[in-house]
Amino acid sequence: MRIKIYTGFIRRQLLKRKLTAMGFDLRKDSGGKYFYRLVDNKDKNELKRLDKFCRRRSLNYTFTDETTERSASYRNNFFRENRGIFGSGIYMCAYCGRLMGKGTTRVDHIIPVQKARTSKFYQRILKLRGIKNVNDVRNLAPSCDRCNSRKSAYGGLWVIRGMFGRAWIRVLIKELIMLVCGGIALYYWYGFLHGMVQGYL
Ligand SMILES: [Zn+2]
């Protein structure tokens, strides 16, 4: 969890020593100077303590959970891990099955960022699948423009379709490979039997 505390000049001078002792650094961004600190998400007691500290002094503070934040690099990560169908650079929309090139492919969060942040149910699904971060490649699916905008931040059926869509492609590829291997095996088996029968005659 990232904690930022924004203060005016005077309060900054007054709080500086105390917050530095509590492990904060003074940083600067477009919104001005602020105190910054990282706290382990599992350290509930520390989070509670800091929340209380800020509230009691009515400080302007934000807690952001980096595991449920949309990261800018997820699109690149997705394309690095997924080279398209058979590595062809052609992607299939997980929702409607449309084929697309890399340029028009939207990378969609199967469980939307918003849901992962607010819904206990979706947090549990992510946890069950062993996904710690919403931007994990396993929570991403290729999607066409139309489906991406239709889905927006809805969960429900769209989440199931996203998961099913991905699984479906994998099953299809597996079935195709099995079919081809089976065909080759059958062909040789037929040739072998044919040879045996001819040997007897
Ligand atoms: Zn689509």
Side-chain angles (χ1 to χ4, degrees), residues 56-99:
R56 195 178 290 158
R57 289 164 182 77
S58 29
L59 292 166
N60 175 15
Y61 67 103
T62 58
F63 281 42
T64 39
D65 186 352
E66 66 275 12
T67 60
T68 57
E69 244 178 315
R70 187 183 283 272
S71 95
S73 55
Y74 73 89
R75 189 180 157 86
N76 292 335
N77 290 341
F78 176 81
F79 287 123
R80 201 179 308 127
E81 299 271 326
N82 293 283
R83 301 280 179 192
I85 302 163
F86 294 118
S88 60
I90 294 170
Y91 295 85
M92 186 190 267
C93 174
Y95 304 102
C96 71
R98 184 180 302 181
L99 296 173

Side-chain angles (χ1 to χ4, degrees), residues 3-32:
I3 302 171
K4 288 181 178 184
I5 304 174
Y6 290 91
T7 60
F9 178 79
I10 294 169
R11 283 203 100 181
R12 188 155 61 239
Q13 308 313 314
L14 291 171
L15 286 167
K16 208 172 189 173
R17 263 183 68 183
K18 187 155 190 138
L19 285 173
T20 310
M22 285 166 72
F24 282 86
D25 306 324
L26 196 57
R27 294 194 180 186
K28 198 179 168 185
D29 69 4
S30 55

